[in-house]
Amino acid sequence: NTDLEGVTFLNGSVLDISEKIDPASCDLILCIGLIGHVGGLDRMLEMFRNLLSETGQLLLQTTLLDHVGVRATRFFSERRHIKKNGYAIKHYWHNDIVQACSKHGLAIVESRRHGFDLPFLDRVAPGFGHYLERRFASRAERTGSEAIYVLARTGNSVEDK
């Protein structure tokens, strides 16, 4: 059991989380695999921006529609997902992220793309997708299906200095 002095972990509905945290008090917010399931990119980024401390950062992971494999996967599986789970996954383009960040006072400090999304490859050839991702990692950095963004309040990012 590790004692992490000054660290608070919260687990709950992201839609209610701002009620449990003081504004401008978070040094790090992890938003991994969430935005697509909750939707409301603008609402979420506004809330996260208000929770970030002056030097805080938000790590945002999302699947990008810029990648043709993501669009194909969505086309073939969206109805089944809605039927099974009761909602559609919301996908975003890279420019959606850029515009929403700008609108809500967040700057992209860094971003990385990864993933070699080929629809249903793991069902046909298990493990082959992982091989392709390793083999073509440099290409995935430019055109990958998944993206991780490091965001900071405007005025506190590398871009703003």
Side-chain angles (χ1 to χ4, degrees):
N1 200 359
T2 306
D3 182 22
L4 300 172
E5 188 174 326
V7 175
T8 302
F9 293 95
L10 294 174
N11 187 9
S13 170
V14 71
L15 302 174
D16 300 329
I17 204 92
S18 64
E19 298 169 8
K20 300 176 182 178
I21 303 173
D22 293 331
S25 65
C26 295
D27 295 320
L28 177 64
I29 298 173
L30 303 176
C31 182
I32 300 172
L34 176 71
I35 291 290
H37 295 277
V38 175
L41 179 64
D42 280 322
R43 181 183 70 208
M44 299 293 287
L45 289 183
E46 179 180 20
M47 178 185 66
F48 289 145
R49 196 250 184 239
N50 290 334
L51 293 175
L52 281 176
S53 67
E54 286 293 319
T55 58
Q57 292 188 326
L58 165 62
L59 185 72
L60 173 73
Q61 177 273 327
T62 191
T63 302
L64 295 175
L65 274 175
D66 301 64
H67 192 279
V68 69
V70 172
R71 293 192 303 271
T73 300
R74 183 176 72 165
F75 177 79
F76 289 111
S77 63
E78 186 172 45
R79 281 192 211 139
R80 185 176 61 246
H81 184 275
I82 292 169
K83 185 177 179 180
K84 179 180 177 187
N85 299 295
Y87 69 95
I89 295 176
K90 176 69 175 147
H91 293 88
Y92 300 97
W93 298 83
H94 170 74
N95 283 338
D96 295 336
I97 305 295
V98 171
Q99 289 173 4
C101 286
S102 178
K103 179 179 176 181
H104 296 290
L106 291 165
I108 298 172
V109 175
E110 187 174 350
S111 67
R112 299 263 171 102
R113 289 178 72 162
H114 63 280
F116 197 76
D117 190 11
L118 292 174
F120 314 108
L121 180 62
D122 286 337
R123 292 182 189 167
V124 177
F128 190 60
H130 182 67
Y131 164 77
L132 290 174
E133 284 194 26
R134 283 191 330 238
R135 176 75 171 94
F136 297 104
S138 61
R139 179 179 164 99
E141 288 176 11
R142 295 184 309 278
T143 62
S145 60
E146 301 292 320
I148 297 176
Y149 297 90
V150 177
L151 309 176
R153 294 171 68 155
T154 303
N156 299 317
S157 73
V158 173
E159 293 175 356
D160 298 324
K161 295 182 179 168

